[in-house]
Amino acid sequence: VGGRDRVIQGFGPPMVRENRDNEAQEQIDNQLPRQEPSVRQPKDEGNEMNLAKPRFIVDPNDPIYKKGDTTQAGEGGKAVKVDKNALSPEEKQKYDKGFQNNAFNQYASDMISIHRTLPSNIDQECKTEKYHDDLPDTSVIVCFHNEAWSVLLRTVHSVLERTPDKLLNEIVLVDDFSDMEHTKSPLEEYMSQFPKVKILRMEKREGLIRARLRGAAVAKGKVLTYLDSHCECMEGWIEPLLDRIKRDPTTVVCPVIDVIDDNTFEYHYSKAYFTNVGGFDWSLQFNWHGIPERDRKSRSRAIDPVRSPTMAGGLFSIDRAYFEKLGTYDPGFDIWGGENLELSFKIWMCGGTLEIVPCSHVGHVFRKRSPYKWRTGVNVLKRNSIRLAEVWLDEYKQYYYERINNQLGDFGDISERKKLRENLQCKSFKWYLDNIFPELFVPGESIAKGEIRNPATDKCVDSAVGEDIENKPVGPYPCHGQGGNQYWMFSKDGEIRRDESCVDYAGQEVMIFPCHGMKGNQEWRYSPDTSRLQHTVSQKCLEMSKDGAKLLMSPCDASNQFQKWRFKEYNQE
Ligand code: UD2
Ligand code: MN
C-alpha cells in the first residue's frame, strides 16, 4: 500500500518572492488554471528542479498574508462581521459563492490573516502545567477535499507556528482528489517554502478515511496527529497531547475542539470547566455530553485529562505503532462517517484508553451542511455504520438495525475486520457499555418500541430529535415504516423517548425535550388494552386531531378512536 503515492516535497530552496507577479497572482485570485509563461525555457530533463522557481508566493497586499498587525480583522480570534448588503454587486457575488463552495463564510476568512492570533484568556492552570521534556515527535496529517485557500493555509500555519520544531516531524497534506485550481500547483509552490510540508495526491476520490490511511502509510513521526483542513491550533496545543502518549502509548488523545464560527470566524475558547466528552446514540451518531458524575468525582482539577467513550473523529493524536496494532481504520469505509466510532470502540474494547485533554485546544469550523459531493446511489454513511455494527456491536447491532428498519443492503465483505477483532482478543460490546458508557440508554430495557400509530388515520407520532430540535412540537405524519423519526421507545419510567430526547407535555403543545429522568412532564402511561397514551401529571390523553394535522391533549375518552395508539412492538411482562 502507498507505493504509488506521490509524496511531493517542496521543490527548490525555500524562497519567498515578494515582488508581485501580477499576471500569476491574478490567476491565483481567480482560481484559474495557471499557464506556462511564454518565456519559460524548455524543460531540461534532470535539471528541472532548478528551473522550476516559484513564480508566485506572497502578495503583500493580500490581507491574508499580513502578519503582526493587531488591528487587522479577526485578530485575537475576534469575529469578522461582513455587512453583505453594503457590498457592491460583484463583492456580493463573491460572498455568496464563498458560502456555496464551502458551507462557511470564505469571504470573511479571506479578510483574516493566515497567521492571526487567537484568544489569550486561556485557563490559568494550563499556563503553568509542566510536561515531560522528552516528548515523541508527531506527523500532522491533514486530509482535504477542495478546501478554501485561506482556510487551508491558516490550518497549516497554525501548526507550523505553534508546534515546537523538534516535536513536529512533518505535515502531510493529503489531497483527496480536489478539483479547485488553487489546490494544484499554487499549493505546491506555496508549500515549497516549508520543507516540513509534504503533499500527497490521491489518484481518485478516496473519501477521508482511506485518505487518512494513505497519509499514515507515508508518515514518519512517532505519533500521528490528525486534523481537519479548517482548523486553528492554539499555542501549546501539542505538548499536553504528546505527554499523555509518552506516559502510555495506548492512550489516544483528543484536544478540546473549540468552535470557529462558520459565519464570522470568531474563535470561541472553551474553558476547562465546560469540557464535554463524546458519546453516541443508536442511530450510531456521535454526540457530546457532560462529564459523568463518577468521572467528575475522581478528578481533582478541571484541567485533568478526562476519559471519553468516543471521539468526534477529526482531531486526535495516536501512537503510530499502536494505531497499526489496532488495525487502523476499516479501509472499506467510504467518503465520511463511522470511522470515529470504529476507532473509539476498538480503543476501549481492545485495551486502550481514549481521553480528552483540556489544556490542548484546536479550533474547528463546524458546518451546517457538507459542501462537497458524496457518492450517488448509495447511502455511504449507512453502509459504513453497518460495517461498524457488524464487527463491533455484537447483539446490540439490532438496536441500530431497528432504526433503519432492518434494511441493510450490500455492505461488502467484513471478514478481515472480524478476524482483526479476534486476533486482538478484544472485549465484548456489553463490557464497553457496562464499563465505559453506562450512561447510555439501551433500548432493550424498554417496554415498547417502534412506530406509534393511530390506526384511524394511519398517521404516526413523528419528530426529529437532537440538540437543535428541542422545544419543537411533535407532529403526526403518515406512517412510513422506515424507523427513523417515527422510531420511539417506551421506557420503564414511562418516557416516550429516542436516545436522549423525550416527548414532553407542559400544558401547551406536545414537545421534544431532553430527557431529565424525573418523570413529571415526561411520564406517560400506556396500556395495550385501552390503546391510550395517558399523560400522568395532566391526566390527559394523546389525541390525533380529526383532520390528522395535529397532536392534541384531551380528556381521556374510551370511545374516541383518535385516542388509540399502537406501538409496533409491545413486550408483555
Ligand atoms: C466530523 C469530523 C471529521 C470526521 C467526520 C466523520 C471533527 C471536527 N470532524 O465531521 O474529521 O471524523 O466527522 O467521518 O471531529 N474530506 C476528504 N475527502 C472526502 C470528504 C472529506 O478528504 O471525501 C476531508 C475534508 O476536507 C475535511 C475532513 O475530511 O478536512 C473532514 O470532513 P468534514 O469537515 O466535512 O467533516 P466534519 O467536520 O463535519
Ligand atoms: Mn470538519
Side-chain angles (χ1 to χ4, degrees), residues 202-222:
M202 300 293 99
E203 296 93 10
K204 61 178 172 37
R205 177 81 178 278
E206 295 287 0
L208 88 93
I209 296 122
R210 285 191 297 272
R212 279 188 194 161
L213 291 177
R214 298 275 287 274
V218 302
K220 301 278 188 299
K222 174 100 180 48

Side-chain angles (χ1 to χ4, degrees), residues 228-230 315 336 364-367:
D228 275 8
S229 48
H230 30 258
L315 292 65
W336 187 101
H364 169 263
V365 184
F366 287 89
R367 298 183 273 206

Side-chain angles (χ1 to χ4, degrees), residues 309-311 339-348 354 432:
T310 69
M311 64 161 89
E339 92 294 343
N340 56 328
L341 297 186
E342 189 212 21
L343 186 57
S344 306
F345 297 159
K346 199 159 58 176
I347 290 166
W348 284 116
L354 178 58
Y432 169 84

Side-chain angles (χ1 to χ4, degrees), residues 142-147 174-176 205-209 211-212 227-231 257 288 311-315 329 334-340 364-367 369-374:
V142 179
C143 301
F144 66 94
H145 177 74
N146 282 340
E147 191 58 86
V174 187
D175 168 21
D176 187 13
R205 177 81 178 278
E206 295 287 0
L208 88 93
I209 296 122
R212 279 188 194 161
L227 297 178
D228 275 8
S229 48
H230 30 258
C231 287
I257 309 177
W288 295 106
M311 64 161 89
L315 292 65
Y329 288 124
D334 204 11
I335 304 288
W336 187 101
E339 92 294 343
N340 56 328
H364 169 263
V365 184
F366 287 89
R367 298 183 273 206
R369 64 176 176 89
S370 171
Y372 41 75
K373 286 203 194 80
W374 289 46

Side-chain angles (χ1 to χ4, degrees), residues 54-67:
R55 284 175 300 144
F56 137 87
I57 296 278
V58 165
D59 168 11
N61 297 316
D62 188 330
I64 69 167
Y65 300 117
K66 282 197 200 147
K67 196 173 183 178

Side-chain angles (χ1 to χ4, degrees), residues 23-78:
E23 201 191 314
Q25 186 57 46
E26 265 160 37
Q27 284 177 3
I28 308 290
D29 289 345
N30 300 329
Q31 302 183 5
L32 289 173
R34 296 166 49 87
Q35 281 155 16
E36 296 291 304
S38 52
V39 290
R40 190 168 174 179
Q41 295 166 39
K43 276 189 182 167
D44 181 352
E45 309 263 334
N47 200 20
E48 201 189 334
M49 294 297 240
N50 298 331
L51 290 174
K53 297 229 170 81
R55 284 175 300 144
F56 137 87
I57 296 278
V58 165
D59 168 11
N61 297 316
D62 188 330
I64 69 167
Y65 300 117
K66 282 197 200 147
K67 196 173 183 178
D69 175 358
T70 53
T71 63
Q72 194 178 340
E75 285 297 319
K78 292 220 177 57

